Amino acid sequence: MSVVRSVVTGVGAYLPPQIVTNEDLSKIVDTSDEWIIERTGIRQRHKAADDQAVSDLAVEAARQALERAGKSPADVDLIIVATTTPDLTFPATAAIVQRKLGAGVGIAFDVQAVCSGFVYALSVADGFIARGNAKCALVIGAEAMTRLMDWTDRGTCVLFGDGAGAVVLEPGEGQGTTADRGMLGFALRADGTKQDLLYVDGGPSTTGTVGKLRMLGNQVFKHAVINISEAIHAAAEKAGVTVPEVDWFIPHQANQRILQGVANRCGIDEDKVISTVALHANTSAASIPLAFAHGVADGRIKPGDLLLLEAMGGGLTWGACVLRL
């Protein structure tokens, strides 16, 4: 039976030019290169310039994704930006991206699920395409997480970086089998009772400020490995595949130990894991599309490959997606 699938036809990425190394951070906070690498696997991160907004990062990634898909901004009828660091309280960063790209009138809005935002946004875009309400969607994860850092807190400020990644989604005809290109299965979760484990202590209706990121790292680690593993198996089951069938595992780049813990728990071969955490640190909603673009650019990820994406972020939110490129 013929079905409509949301197919990734282009992938793009953008990282700000400024690189902040662990050694750089050791000059402003009580930490060291060895301490950071041992606990996180992070060696450096990128930092947006003072005059760079999240929309600027998103636009650069979007342009690359469109070029690789053979599309122009005029073709785009849906823009979804996953971000927890928007340009403004409103309008949506997606609308600003629409204007800066020069895209025509269409649908544009943001998704806020913190680090899980890109997976959530893919699911939302998939719904628009599957019902015929969009023909060319830009799904973007873009963050300036360094703007939320308390630079006196060595437990958090060393973990995050800035960047953006994007994919173009277009409808493709499938036969309803696991051999189809496109989105095959999702599993999305949230548990608001775990808010205190990872949050920002400010907001328009509470403090009237942006706030700073706060985290109980050990608790987040424990929940991440257990919860993400469950979502991975649930997404694979919905897709009709088994986890060992996956060609590439593209996890949220939070911490190398979390990546390894999830891979081990799910029986995923280490050689199948796309890891960019050492170079990018945690870029929240941008981390999966950045890693996706990295794997495509270096030739590992190829058309026809079965991909597994997963993330967990504040909320707590988490989720997984299985797709065939």
Side-chain angles (χ1 to χ4, degrees), residues 250-272:
I250 311 174
H252 168 49
Q253 308 290 314
N255 180 309
Q256 188 62 37
R257 291 201 289 183
I258 293 178
L259 270 64
Q260 292 170 339
V262 171
N264 291 339
R265 189 178 180 92
C266 293
I268 299 171
D269 191 323
E270 188 176 336
D271 291 340
K272 293 183 175 183

Side-chain angles (χ1 to χ4, degrees), residues 1-323:
M1 183 179 71
S2 179
V3 299
V4 175
R5 301 282 198 192
S6 305
V7 179
V8 175
T9 58
V11 185
Y14 176 76
L15 291 160
Q18 182 182 357
I19 293 174
V20 180
T21 66
N22 293 344
E23 291 290 350
D24 293 331
L25 290 181
S26 71
K27 297 173 184 176
I28 62 171
V29 68
D30 182 18
T31 191
S32 68
D33 183 51
E34 294 77 16
W35 189 91
I36 297 170
I37 291 173
E38 180 184 348
R39 287 162 177 79
T40 71
I42 297 167
R43 295 180 181 273
Q44 65 176 45
R45 69 285 296 143
H46 290 252
K47 188 176 185 293
D50 291 343
D51 62 351
Q52 278 187 309
V54 161
S55 62
D56 296 322
L57 311 184
V59 164
E60 293 300 322
R63 284 177 176 151
Q64 188 179 91
L66 286 169
E67 180 181 355
R68 291 176 175 173
K71 296 292 180 179
S72 74
D75 296 313
V76 177
D77 55 8
L78 170 63
I79 300 174
I80 304 176
V81 175
T83 187
T84 196
T85 52
D87 284 22
L88 303 168
T89 301
F90 71 84
T93 300
I96 299 173
V97 169
Q98 181 193 50
R99 170 175 59 81
K100 289 182 176 180
L101 274 176
V105 174
I107 305 164
F109 59 92
D110 294 351
V111 166
Q112 165 50 313
V114 201
C115 302
S116 308
F118 186 74
V119 175
Y120 270 61
L122 281 179
S123 176
V124 175
D126 180 53
F128 274 89
I129 290 174
R131 295 182 67 85
N133 293 321
K135 296 296 184 184
C136 182
L138 265 173
V139 181
I140 307 167
E143 301 282 19
M145 293 300 291
T146 59
R147 306 278 167 85
L148 297 178
M149 294 301 104
D150 175 353
W151 295 103
T152 67
D153 180 4
R154 72 171 186 170
T156 58
C157 73
V158 303
L159 301 177
F160 294 89
D162 305 336
V167 299
V168 175
L169 290 182
E170 298 181 70
E173 187 174 339
Q175 299 305 309
T177 73
T178 59
D180 291 349
R181 292 185 66 203
M183 304 295 152
L184 300 178
F186 288 91
L188 305 179
R189 309 280 189 264
D191 182 359
T193 68
K194 304 296 189 299
Q195 172 187 318
D196 291 346
L197 303 186
L198 180 55
Y199 67 101
V200 165
D201 61 3
S205 69
T206 52
T207 65
T209 64
V210 173
K212 299 298 181 184
L213 186 144
R214 308 299 178 193
M215 181 173 69
L216 298 176
N218 290 339
Q219 289 297 310
V220 172
F221 180 94
K222 181 181 73 172
H223 285 281
V225 174
I226 295 171
N227 292 337
I228 291 171
S229 299
E230 180 277 326
I232 283 173
H233 287 291
E237 183 177 353
K238 287 183 179 179
V241 302
T242 62
V243 174
E245 292 179 68
V246 169
D247 294 302
W248 295 105
F249 177 44
I250 311 174
H252 168 49
Q253 308 290 314
N255 180 309
Q256 188 62 37
R257 291 201 289 183
I258 293 178
L259 270 64
Q260 292 170 339
V262 171
N264 291 339
R265 189 178 180 92
C266 293
I268 299 171
D269 191 323
E270 188 176 336
D271 291 340
K272 293 183 175 183
V273 180
I274 304 291
S275 175
T276 57
V277 69
L279 300 175
H280 302 167
N282 183 346
T283 54
S284 189
S287 77
I288 289 176
L290 278 170
F292 193 167
H294 186 80
V296 170
D298 68 19
R300 282 180 290 176
I301 299 175
K302 298 178 176 62
D305 283 351
L306 188 64
L307 311 180
L308 170 62
L309 285 52
E310 63 79 4
M312 178 172 167
L316 294 174
T317 62
W318 64 98
C321 168
V322 176
L323 68 97

